[in-house]
Amino acid sequence: MALCAGYAALMLHSATWAEARQLDAIFPFYKWRIRLFSAAEFAQAGQLLTGLAVVLALPAVILIAAPAGRAECHQWGSELRAVLRGLSSAFRALPTAQQRGAVLLLLALTAFRLVASIPAVTPGYDDVPSYEMFASKSLLAVSAYYPVPNNHVLSNTIDWVFYQVNPGFWFTMRLPVVLAATMATGLLFLGLLWARASFRVAWLSTLLFSLAQLSLYHVAVGRGYWLLTLMGVMAFFGSLALADGTRQPRAAWTGLVVGGVLGLYTVPTFALVLGSAFSWLGLGYLRRHDWRAIAWLAVLGTVIAAGSLVLYAPLIFVSGPAIFFSNGFVAPQPLGVFWRGLPAYLWETEGFLAGQGKVGGLLVLAVLATVLLLWRRGTQWPTTQRLPLQRLVPAALWFMAFPYAMMAAQRVFAPSRAVLYKAFFFFLLLALVVDWLLQAATKRWQRGLHAALSLMGIIWLGYEVNSLWRDNQRPRHRNAALYQAFQWLDQRPKARTLMPESTHSLFVRMYLHSEHPGQRWPIDHIPQPGISYTYVLAFPDLHGWFQPGFTFPPVFHNELVEIYQLNPAVADSASAAGALPSYWHLME
C-alpha cells in the first residue's frame, strides 16, 4: 500500500498544475473534459498521497525491522525461492528431448509472434490512440488522462518507458506485448508442469491458447490484454496452490495480491479474474470451516481493491470519478434486454475464444460434455492423470464459468478481448481430453488417432491464421491510404495544416512522432482566428464530420484522404473562411 501511494504521489509530482490543465489538448476531439481543479487542489492531492505513503511506510519499516518481522521476511524470501526452484525442477524433470522441444517451441512461437507484430504499417484504432495519446506524451498523461476510456494504464506506462528508449511505433507498442506474451506462455507451461500435468497436456494447452485467433491478434496489436493474461496466470496458480494447502502460502498470496493489484491497474475488468479466484478460495475455506483463512481472504481482498484505487488516484482526481466508475463500457443493460441477449452472447463469446464465433461453441459443448462424463467415471482416467485432473478440472471449469455470474449480477456484456485469458481454461480441458484419448486408445488405434488429431489441429491452425490475415486486410488497406497522405505531406515543407477529422489527426501525428521524433509540425484540429492554413485534410465524398466547401480540387486524393492546398491569398479570403461553416456548426 505504501508503494502504491508513493507511486501515485510521484505521478502527480511529475508535472506542474499548468501541464495538468493542458491534458485536454492531447485529443481535443472529445466533448469530455478533465475536471476543473485549482493549483492549490492539485498540490494538496500530491501532498495527500505523499503523506499517505509516509504514514503507511513507517509502520511497515518498523515491523520489518523487528525480530519477528525479519524472520517473516526471511521466510517469505525462502518461499519465493522454493517456488522458483519448484518451477525449475518441474522443467528439469522432463526428459532431455522434451526440454529441448519445449525451448524450441517457445522460440518458434516467439519468432512467429514477432513476425505477426512487425507490420507496423497496420496500427489499429486501438493501439494508435494508446501510442499517440499516452505513450508518446508525459507520464502524467499516462497515469491521469482517461478519455473514452482507452487507457490501459500499466500497459501504456510500460510503453512510455519503451518510447523513451526508441520512439518507433513497433518498438514502443508491439515489442512490450510480445515480451509479456512470452512471459505468460512460459509461466503457463511451467505452472501446469508444477501442477503435475503431463508434458503433452502442458505444451498442447499452452500452444493452442497461444495460436488462437484472439491471442494472435492481441500480440499483433498493442495494449494490455496479454499483460492481463500474465497477471491472470499468477492469480490462477496462486489460487490453485492456496486451495491445495501449499507449503509456500506467503509466495502464493504474494502472487495473488501483486497480480491482483497490477491486473486491475492494467484493465479494470481484471475484477473478473479476481472474482473467480476469491470465490474459488472462499468456497474451499467454507467447506473446511476455516474461518481464519476466510478472514485473511477478506483482508487481502481489501488490500487489492485499496491498492489499485490508490494507484488510480491521479486518474480519479484529474479525469474525475464518473469516467472511471460509470463509463459506457460498464453501463448495465435493462434486465429484459440482458437476459434475452445472454444465450447468443455466451455462444458467440465461447465460440470465438475457442477459435470460431459461429460454430466454435459446438467444440466447447463437446469438450465440456466429455470432461463431465469422464469426471463422473473417474476410474476411466489413466492413473497418471487422476491427480492433476482432480486439481485442474474443477478450477478450470470455475474460472471459465464464474465471470458470467459476475456479468449477470452487473447486467453487462464484457467484450471478448476482456475475457481473452479465459480461453486458456478451455484449451486446458481440451488438452486433457486429447491426452485421455491417446492414453486410453489401444496400440492398434494409436497411429490413426494421432494422424486424425494432427490433421484437425492443422486445419484449425490454418483457419486461425487465415482468419487473422483476412481480417487484417481492411486495416492494412486503410492504413496504407493514411500513410500515403502522411508521406505526401512529409515530402513538402512543413506548413500550417488543418486536420479537423480525428482519424487523420491521430494517424498523421502517430507517423510523425514515430518517424520524426522531436520534430514540430504546426497542426490544428479547429480553424484558429487569424491563421492562414496551407493544407486542409478531409475525407472524400463528404464522409466524416468535416465537409469543406472548396470550389477547387484537392492536390492529393485517395479513398480516405483529400488534401487541399490553399495559397496565402485564398487562405486569407472570405471564400476560404466560408468553406468551413458546416464544421463550425457541428463543433457547436
Side-chain angles (χ1 to χ4, degrees):
M1 289 290 294
L3 289 172
C4 290
Y7 179 83
L10 180 64
M11 294 304 98
L12 287 184
H13 287 301
S14 68
T16 65
W17 171 78
E19 291 169 335
R21 292 302 315 158
Q22 289 299 312
L23 290 178
D24 279 330
I26 290 176
F27 198 65
F29 297 92
Y30 297 131
K31 293 181 180 178
W32 171 87
R33 293 291 181 265
I34 63 173
R35 285 180 61 248
L36 293 175
F37 51 85
S38 65
E41 289 172 329
F42 185 73
Q44 288 169 1
Q47 293 165 1
L48 179 64
L49 286 170
T50 302
L52 179 62
V54 172
V55 167
L56 290 169
L58 285 175
V61 170
I62 292 170
L63 287 170
I64 291 171
R70 289 198 302 273
E72 184 70 19
C73 288
H74 176 74
Q75 183 63 29
W76 176 71
S78 298
E79 289 188 12
L80 288 178
R81 290 190 295 272
V83 169
L84 295 176
R85 286 195 302 270
L87 294 173
S88 176
S89 298
F91 181 77
R92 290 200 307 271
L94 295 173
T96 303
Q98 291 182 352
Q99 291 182 22
R100 291 175 180 171
V103 172
L104 288 174
L105 189 61
L106 181 63
L107 291 174
L109 186 59
T110 303
F112 182 69
R113 286 167 169 166
L114 286 170
V115 170
S117 72
I118 279 174
V121 292
T122 55
Y125 278 124
D126 289 330
D127 54 352
V128 167
S130 292
Y131 176 90
E132 180 53 33
M133 295 160 61
F134 308 114
S136 63
K137 298 300 184 289
S138 67
L139 201 52
L140 181 68
V142 176
S143 306
Y145 187 50
Y146 201 65
V148 181
N150 190 40
N151 188 354
H152 296 191
V153 183
L154 180 59
S155 176
N156 285 334
T157 303
I158 296 171
D159 295 337
W160 180 86
V161 173
F162 276 70
Y163 182 86
Q164 309 311 306
V165 178
N166 184 331
F169 182 86
W170 179 85
F171 189 90
T172 298
M173 298 303 301
R174 301 292 169 81
L175 181 58
V177 181
V178 173
L179 295 176
T182 302
M183 291 176 62
T185 303
L187 189 56
L188 281 171
F189 178 75
L190 293 176
L192 288 173
L193 292 180
W194 165 80
R196 301 183 187 177
S198 67
F199 171 79
R200 183 160 54 200
V201 168
W203 79 260
L204 182 60
S205 55
T206 304
L207 181 65
L208 290 175
F209 172 66
S210 300
L211 294 177
Q213 181 182 347
L214 196 60
S215 298
L216 287 175
Y217 175 79
H218 284 291
V219 167
V221 173
R223 298 201 305 164
Y225 292 109
W226 262 104
L227 194 61
L228 183 147
T229 300
L230 174 60
M231 304 305 168
V233 172
M234 294 171 59
F236 176 70
F237 286 113
S239 303
L240 208 62
L242 290 165
D244 292 339
T246 177
R247 288 181 292 180
Q248 291 90 32
R250 295 168 182 81
W253 279 118
T254 298
L256 189 56
V257 172
V258 173
V261 172
L262 295 182
L264 288 173
Y265 197 50
T266 301
V267 188
T269 53
F270 192 78
L272 296 172
V273 182
L274 290 176
S276 303
F278 275 71
S279 59
W280 174 253
L281 287 172
L283 286 174
Y285 294 150
L286 278 174
R287 283 197 299 267
R288 297 201 296 265
H289 302 289
D290 192 342
W291 309 116
R292 183 175 181 273
I294 290 175
W296 189 233
L297 193 66
V299 168
L300 290 181
T302 303
V303 168
I304 292 173
S308 62
L309 281 176
V310 169
L311 285 177
Y312 277 117
L315 187 153
I316 294 171
F317 174 79
V318 171
S319 295
I323 190 69
F324 182 70
F325 290 107
S326 58
N327 66 76
F329 289 92
V330 295
Q333 299 277 346
L335 188 61
V337 173
F338 176 82
W339 287 110
R340 284 194 300 272
L342 184 59
Y345 171 78
L346 290 173
W347 181 263
E348 292 180 6
T349 300
E350 286 299 323
F352 191 40
L353 292 177
Q356 214 289 327
K358 300 299 182 184
V359 300
L362 295 174
L363 178 61
V364 174
L365 290 177
V367 169
L368 291 177
T370 305
V371 166
L372 293 175
L373 179 63
L374 294 174
W375 183 260
R376 291 183 62 186
R377 302 178 179 180
T379 56
Q380 293 191 11
W381 290 98
T383 304
T384 55
Q385 289 183 305
R386 287 178 193 165
L387 181 58
L389 285 168
Q390 290 169 355
R391 303 182 70 194
L392 293 173
V393 169
L397 289 172
W398 186 266
F399 274 73
M400 274 185 72
F402 191 79
Y404 295 123
M406 296 179 66
M407 293 181 210
Q410 295 177 291
R411 303 199 310 276
V412 170
F413 294 126
S416 56
R417 61 185 180 272
V419 290
L420 163 66
Y421 74 94
K422 223 163 61 64
F424 171 72
F425 304 114
F426 163 73
F427 287 113
L428 173 58
L429 296 176
L430 176 59
L432 289 168
V433 170
V434 169
D435 192 45
W436 173 81
L437 286 172
L438 293 173
Q439 289 199 49
T442 61
K443 290 184 178 180
R444 179 182 175 185
W445 294 97
Q446 285 277 349
R447 182 175 298 178
L449 188 58
H450 268 108
L453 291 172
S454 298
L455 179 61
M456 287 189 287
I458 291 171
I459 293 172
W460 177 85
L461 177 59
Y463 176 82
E464 298 302 288
V465 175
N466 180 69
S467 296
L468 186 66
W469 179 85
R470 185 187 65 241
D471 294 343
N472 194 40
Q473 292 314 296
R474 232 178 130 180
R476 282 179 68 109
H477 199 60
R478 175 202 67 205
N479 295 345
L482 292 166
Y483 189 67
Q484 288 170 6
F486 164 76
Q487 285 184 311
W488 189 93
L489 289 168
D490 192 40
Q491 292 166 3
R492 283 150 183 81
K494 301 300 176 286
R496 276 281 177 183
T497 305
L498 179 65
M499 297 184 190
E501 293 287 354
S502 61
T503 299
H504 296 154
S505 179
L506 272 176
F507 277 79
V508 170
R509 291 171 190 264
M510 181 272 295
Y511 289 127
L512 172 66
H513 287 145
S514 178
E515 298 191 9
H516 304 301
Q519 188 176 114
R520 305 283 299 178
W521 196 342
I523 296 174
D524 289 331
H525 79 286
I526 290 179
Q528 301 298 315
I531 297 296
S532 298
Y533 292 99
T534 303
Y535 302 111
V536 178
L537 272 66
F539 280 116
D541 303 322
L542 300 182
H543 290 161
W545 292 99
F546 176 53
Q547 299 176 7
F550 297 127
T551 57
F552 47 88
V555 292
F556 175 90
H557 170 88
N558 65 25
E559 62 184 284
L560 284 181
V561 187
E562 285 184 343
I563 302 178
Y564 293 89
Q565 183 171 359
L566 283 66
N567 59 49
V570 173
D572 290 331
S573 70
S575 61
L580 308 175
S582 61
Y583 181 70
W584 281 108
H585 286 301
L586 285 169
M587 288 303 294
E588 289 295 328

